[in-house]
Amino acid sequence: MVEEVIERPASSKKNQISPTISKPIRLDEVSGEIEERWDLDMSEFARVLGGGIVPGSIVLLGGDPGIGKSTLMLQVSIEKIACVWG
């Protein structure tokens, strides 16, 4: 690895971009797209995920060793396989 220093070119005021000013908004004012979600029988886990699993999404599941992360994922997998295979 070699450190490479990149210098920014001197810019004039014409080329400067003004900072975007944003204002906080209330949570009930936030709009979002409604996405397809896979329903789960494990209602509490589905609630944590916002109503179910979004196909193609990634969820990071963390916790202390032995707390049940693998068991939870096995239960979710078995549930989804049972839905697909009937």
Side-chain angles (χ1 to χ4, degrees):
M1 296 177 88
V2 178
E3 180 180 5
E4 185 176 328
V5 178
I6 300 173
E7 295 182 25
R8 293 185 180 186
S11 62
S12 64
K13 288 188 177 183
K14 292 181 204 174
N15 296 336
Q16 288 182 347
I17 299 172
S18 62
T20 304
I21 298 173
S22 61
K23 295 165 48 176
I25 59 174
R26 297 178 53 85
L27 284 178
D28 58 359
E29 297 171 350
V30 175
S31 62
E33 298 176 22
I34 297 177
E35 300 187 11
E36 174 190 350
R37 293 184 183 271
W38 292 340
D39 292 331
L40 298 170
D41 288 338
M42 295 179 278
S43 60
E44 189 66 18
F45 185 61
R47 186 184 68 80
V48 169
L49 295 177
I53 299 173
V54 177
S57 67
I58 297 175
V59 177
L60 176 63
L61 182 66
D64 293 331
I67 204 162
K69 300 177 295 291
S70 298
T71 303
L72 179 62
M73 291 298 97
L74 282 170
Q75 289 174 339
V76 170
S77 300
I78 289 169
E79 183 179 329
K80 290 316 300 171
I81 289 172
C83 290
V84 172
W85 291 95

